[in-house]
Amino acid sequence: MEEKLPKIYSKKAILGFSIFLSTLFGGVLLFQNLLDVNKKKEAYIVLGISVLITILTIFIVNIPENPKSSLSYLCGMAGGSFLSYYFVPKYFPNEEQYPKKALWKPLIIGAVIVVILVALMIYSASIENY
């Protein structure tokens, strides 16, 4: 009998979420993939690396006098590429054979987080103007 593979988030989904939200978000998707295939140790290593890349991104983006959002996208692309093109093939050499998870749940979570962050930025800016 053929072993049924669990659903995972695709390499493209991990890269996309890393670029448009953060490497941490892409790392959480890969973390979830690894937990789904019972690779707990590897999952926590990937999560730790994602956190480090995200912290590094925050420093890099805030180095210039006028922080540029394009630096954030470039760092997200670099971090996401590292996750997608190094870790995914390493832990899922036959990734294309796995059924893919739907992206609705992470998209909704990401949208909620972005809305909350934008609302907090607007709120804090309105307090500063008083």
Side-chain angles (χ1 to χ4, degrees), residues 26-91:
V28 168
L29 296 182
L30 183 51
F31 171 81
Q32 189 60 55
N33 285 354
L34 290 164
L35 289 181
D36 290 345
V37 295
N38 296 316
K39 293 185 178 183
K40 229 178 194 173
K41 181 183 168 200
E42 295 88 342
Y44 284 102
I45 290 169
V46 164
L47 189 61
I49 289 170
S50 300
V51 169
L52 290 174
I53 293 171
T54 302
I55 291 168
L56 186 64
T57 299
I58 292 167
F59 282 119
I60 291 171
V61 169
N62 290 303
I63 287 173
E65 288 291 318
N66 298 321
K68 304 239 184 301
S69 62
S70 59
L71 281 175
S72 176
Y73 289 116
L74 284 173
C75 290
M77 192 176 297
S81 295
F82 185 54
L83 294 175
S84 297
Y85 297 105
Y86 176 73
F87 285 113
V88 172
K90 181 177 181 176
Y91 298 127

Side-chain angles (χ1 to χ4, degrees), residues 105-126:
K105 188 176 176 183
L107 277 173
I108 291 168
I109 292 169
V112 168
I113 290 170
V114 168
V115 166
I116 290 170
L117 290 174
V118 169
L120 288 172
M121 289 190 318
I122 292 169
Y123 179 72
S124 68
S126 67

Side-chain angles (χ1 to χ4, degrees), residues 7-10 13 17 29 33 99-108:
K7 287 185 176 184
I8 63 170
Y9 293 108
S10 72
F17 278 95
L29 296 182
N33 285 354
K100 301 303 180 253
K101 283 186 181 178
L103 296 178
W104 291 112
K105 188 176 176 183
L107 277 173
I108 291 168

